C-alpha cells in the first residue's frame, strides 16, 4: 500500500495546495518592522516559514539559539553545516529582549546541533529559558531541542527549567533516517522523547515530514512508535527541498492523506495532531498548551 500522492518523476510545479498567500495585516506589519529595525533573529523570517503571518498574528514566534552553523549535515535542512562560532553568552538576554520587543505570548526556541560542545549547548538552553522568564513572565515556552546525543545530563538541564512544552523531531521514518538525518539515530530520538515523559514532563511533542519516499505503512508505524513513547503532540507536514544540494521531493502528499493521518493519530491517543502540507513544527504551537 502506498500513500495518496502526486509523483515527481521530473521537477514539476508545486500543487495548488502548497501555494501560500503573502502575510498581511496590521499585527504582522508591526512585527516585521520591529524585526527589521532591531535585527531580531527569528526562524520565521530566516526560514521563510509559510505560516509566519498567521503565527505572528496569534502572538507566536520561533527563535534559534547557539548560532547559525550546525555540526550535523541533515539532507533536508537549510541551515549551513560547518564549524560553529564560539558560544555567545549574551545570547539569552538578546533573545529575551527580542521576545519583549515583539510582545510574544508564546515563544518557540530551537537551536542548531552543537556536538562540538561537551554540554551540547544545554547550558545556554537553560540560561535562555531563565532569561526569557525574567523579562517576560507571562510568555509561555516551547523548546524544540536536539537529541544532545542522548546525554541525559544535558537533557536534564532542559527538564530542570520546565518549559511548558519540550519538543524533539523524529523527522522521518526509520528506513530513511540514515539518509535524511545522517548523524542522528531513530531509536535514540525515541529514547529522548520517552525519557522526558518518564521524568514527568507534562507535555512532549514531535514532528515528521512526508514526501521523502516513505510509505503509508511506514508513516503509521512511526506514529505508533511516537505514541508508544508517550508523545502528546504530533505535527505532520510536507517536505520541501531548500536547495538543489538537498534531498529532492519524491512526492507531494494530497490533503486527503494528511487528514487521514490526523484521524489515525487521534485514535492512537495523541492530544493534538496537526497534519497538513504547510504544517511546520511550531504551527499553532500556542494551542498545544491546552
Amino acid at each position: 500500500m502506498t500513500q495518496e500522492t502526486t509523483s515527481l518523476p521530473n521537477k514539476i510545479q508545486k500543487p495548488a495546495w502548497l501555494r501560500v498567500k503573502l502575510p498581511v495585516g496590521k499585527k504582522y506589519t508591526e512585527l516585521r518592522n520591529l524585526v527589521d529595525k532591531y535585527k531580531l533573529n527569528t526562524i520565521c523570517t530566516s526560514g521563510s516559514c509559510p505560516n509566519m503571518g498567521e503565527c505572528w498574528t496569534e502572538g507566536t514566534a520561533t527563535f534559534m539559539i547557539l548560532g547559525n552553523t550546525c555540526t550535523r549535515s541533515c539532507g533536508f535542512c537549510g541551515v549551513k553545516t560547518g564549524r560553529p562560532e564560539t558560544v555567545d553568552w549574551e545570547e539569552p538576554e538578546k533573545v529575551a529582549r527580542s521576545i519583549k520587543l515583539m510582545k510574544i505570548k508564546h515563544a518557540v526556541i530551537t537551536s542548531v546541533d552543537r556536538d562540538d560542545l561537551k554540554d551540547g549547548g544545554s547550558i545556554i538552553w537553560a540560561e535562555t529559558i531563565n532569561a526569557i522568564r525574567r523579562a517576560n513572565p507571562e510568555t509561555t515556552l516551547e523548546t524544540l531541542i536536539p537529541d544532545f546525543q542522548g546525554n541525559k545530563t544535558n537533557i536534564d538541564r532542559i527538564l530542570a527549567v520546565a518549559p511548558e512544552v519540550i519538543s524533539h523531531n523524529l523527522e522521518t521514518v526509520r528506513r530513511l533516517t540514515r539518509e535524511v538525518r545522517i548523524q542522528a539515530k531513530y531509536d535514540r530520538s525515541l529514547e529522548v522523547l520517552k525519557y522526558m515523559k518518564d521524568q514527568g514532563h507534562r507535555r512532549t511533542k514531535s514532528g515528521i515530514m512526508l514526501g521523502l519516499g516513505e510509505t503509508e505503512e511506514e508513516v503509521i508505524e512511526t506514529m505508533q512508535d511516537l505514541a508508544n513513547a508517550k508523545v502528546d503532540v504530533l505535527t505532520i507536514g510536507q517536505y520541501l527541498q531548500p536547495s538543489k544540494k538537498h534531498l529532492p521531493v519524491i512526492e507531494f502528499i494530497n490533503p486527503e492523506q494528511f487528514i487521514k493521518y490526523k484521524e489515525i493519530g487521534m485514535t492512537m491517543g495523541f492530544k493534538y495532531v496537526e497534519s497538513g502540507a504547510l504544517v511546520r513544527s511550531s504551527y499553532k504551537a500556542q494551542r498545544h498548551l491546552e
Side-chain angles (χ1 to χ4, degrees):
M1 185 188 301
T2 59
Q3 305 175 90
E4 288 287 326
T5 62
T6 300
S7 296
L8 274 180
N10 298 301
K11 188 172 179 60
I12 60 173
Q13 287 187 341
K14 294 176 186 176
W17 61 82
L18 278 172
R19 293 170 192 162
V20 186
K21 293 181 180 179
L22 291 174
V24 293
K26 182 180 177 182
K27 178 71 171 177
Y28 167 77
T29 302
E30 288 174 355
L31 288 179
R32 185 75 211 212
N33 289 339
L34 276 173
V35 167
D36 293 342
K37 180 178 179 179
Y38 293 103
K39 297 181 173 58
L40 308 182
N41 183 24
T42 73
I43 281 291
C44 316
T45 50
S46 61
S48 301
C49 179
N51 307 309
M52 179 166 54
E54 182 179 355
C55 291
W56 282 11
T57 298
E58 294 185 354
T60 301
T62 301
F63 301 83
M64 186 167 74
I65 62 174
L66 288 162
N68 58 7
T69 303
C70 190
T71 54
R72 300 191 186 181
S73 51
C74 297
F76 70 90
C77 184
V79 176
K80 67 179 179 181
T81 302
R83 185 173 181 176
E85 296 179 2
T86 57
V87 171
D88 178 5
W89 292 101
E90 295 181 2
E91 187 171 48
E93 297 298 335
K94 292 177 183 177
V95 174
R97 175 174 172 267
S98 296
I99 290 170
K100 191 174 185 67
L101 283 168
M102 293 177 71
K103 298 180 181 178
I104 296 300
K105 298 176 183 176
H106 182 69
V108 180
I109 311 300
T110 188
S111 80
V112 293
D113 282 277
R114 291 299 301 260
D115 296 329
D116 59 314
L117 302 174
K118 185 176 180 180
D119 74 321
S122 61
I123 293 174
I124 279 284
W125 263 104
E127 289 293 329
T128 300
I129 295 165
N130 286 332
I132 292 169
R133 287 216 170 107
R134 285 193 299 270
N136 310 273
E138 301 301 317
T139 299
T140 53
L141 292 169
E142 175 183 324
T143 53
L144 174 54
I145 65 170
D147 62 20
F148 293 116
Q149 297 182 309
N151 185 305
K152 291 182 173 60
T153 298
N154 295 335
I155 298 168
D156 285 343
R157 288 194 179 99
I158 311 300
L159 292 169
V161 292
E164 281 75 9
V165 179
I166 304 183
S167 179
H168 172 64
N169 285 343
L170 197 55
E171 305 292 11
T172 190
V173 301
R174 182 184 295 276
R175 176 176 58 86
L176 296 176
T177 294
R178 184 173 294 182
E179 181 182 10
V180 175
R181 304 172 67 211
I182 298 168
Q183 294 97 333
K185 297 178 180 178
Y186 184 89
D187 287 317
R188 183 168 67 190
S189 286
L190 286 174
E191 288 166 7
V192 167
L193 287 160
K194 185 176 185 301
Y195 175 76
M196 293 189 297
K197 200 65 179 178
D198 287 346
Q199 296 306 300
H201 194 75
R202 189 175 72 87
R203 188 139 302 188
T204 57
K205 178 177 171 180
S206 191
I208 58 175
M209 305 171 292
L210 304 185
L212 286 157
E214 68 289 326
T215 65
E216 180 180 287
E217 289 90 343
E218 287 176 317
V219 174
I220 294 172
E221 178 186 358
T222 300
M223 293 169 67
Q224 188 60 61
D225 286 342
L226 289 167
N228 293 343
K230 304 176 185 176
V231 169
D232 298 294
V233 182
L234 173 63
T235 61
I236 307 173
Q238 171 72 50
Y239 166 68
L240 297 175
Q241 186 179 14
S243 77
K244 293 180 180 179
K245 296 179 181 179
H246 292 84
L247 293 171
V249 175
I250 304 300
E251 302 162 335
F252 284 129
I253 311 303
N254 287 332
E256 293 79 9
Q257 188 70 19
F258 280 109
I259 294 171
K260 180 178 181 180
Y261 286 137
K262 178 169 185 172
E263 292 171 347
I264 292 171
M266 294 307 293
T267 66
M268 290 180 177
F270 292 103
K271 290 184 174 69
Y272 286 92
V273 179
E274 303 289 355
S275 180
L278 295 175
V279 168
R280 298 297 179 261
S281 296
S282 58
Y283 184 62
K284 295 185 178 178
Q286 76 286 354
R287 301 184 189 182
H288 303 155
L289 299 172
E290 301 169 2

